[in-house]
Amino acid sequence: ASPGEKLHYEIFFRNIGSSPFDNLFLLTKLDGQAIDTQSIKSQTGEVRPNDKLIAWDYKQVPGLRYLAPQQEGKVEFDIQLKNDWIQSGSEENNTVIKNKVDISQISNEFQTKINSKLEVLQKGHYSSQAGITNSGPIPPEVGVPTTYMIIWELKNYFNDVKNAKIRAVLPQNVSLTGKVSPENEFSNFTFDSNSREIVWNISGGATLLAGAGILSGAPSISFQISLIPSSSQKGDTASLIGEASIFAEDQFTVAVTQGKALPINTSLPDDPSGSGGGIVQ
């Protein structure tokens, strides 16, 4: 499962003996920081959200009132996972939610693995960043190049991931200048001139630990682009870079997890010193 998802549970119980059961009770106890306790819902069970507990009895469920040999019954409930939560020391990696079921002295526990949550932050600046100075008119002018810095930062919340990549597409009138910081990530930074897609293979695909960017420094890269506004953009803002997407392989769930960031244009909302000069002249 992934943070923010709604999960639907169905618990099946069967009498595998030769004698019937009657007047049974069934309890399920949930455990895990990822669960939004106020979201726990069941049409037939009694929900105790503060205890993360749901109870069903024979008055509510026919299969609990009388369960003949080889007969099967079922109860259902729904929960919502939080988008964010504070990890305890024991949950800083390999996050799960547990569901312990008890019925007539029989117990079983089920676990659901939770994918890590990835975030990519995409920012645009005209002011100097990472020791790189930009040039060109602000506000930008038709036919005249202006350079900007694009910054990517990422956060990895819950599980170790590897082969993390951030992708974005450059508009036709935007190009890379070749300036990248830190310089040791230059070899992991590629551009496809046909698709106009930039790809950052973060640290060459190395494992990115849970809590990166939250409990420790955020992996980041800054790269310079050059915009030459077209006449059709005069009187409006110009796009600098499209939506950024991050993908990585979760080492606990063995699933691909991802995140996205909004496109950036010349209004530069993250750079107060240049945000007033975004309209192409």
Side-chain angles (χ1 to χ4, degrees), residues 140-178:
E141 299 176 6
V142 171
V144 181
T146 296
T147 62
Y148 300 86
M149 289 298 294
I150 301 297
I151 304 164
W152 285 344
E153 294 181 357
L154 68 93
K155 296 180 180 181
N156 176 38
Y157 280 76
F158 306 126
N159 307 327
D160 295 349
V161 301
K162 68 183 300 184
N163 293 326
K165 295 180 175 66
I166 299 178
R167 304 172 183 269
V169 173
L170 290 182
Q172 288 294 331
N173 59 340
V174 175
S175 59
L176 293 170
T177 68

Side-chain angles (χ1 to χ4, degrees), residues 4-9 30 34-41 54 77-82 97-98 112 114:
E5 281 189 336
K6 182 179 180 179
L7 304 184
H8 177 71
Y9 283 78
L30 297 160
I35 300 168
D36 179 357
T37 56
Q38 299 306 310
S39 73
I40 303 172
K41 289 181 172 56
I54 311 172
F77 66 95
D78 297 287
I79 66 172
Q80 184 86 29
L81 299 186
K82 300 174 185 175
I97 54 177
K98 300 176 183 179
T112 301
I114 307 300

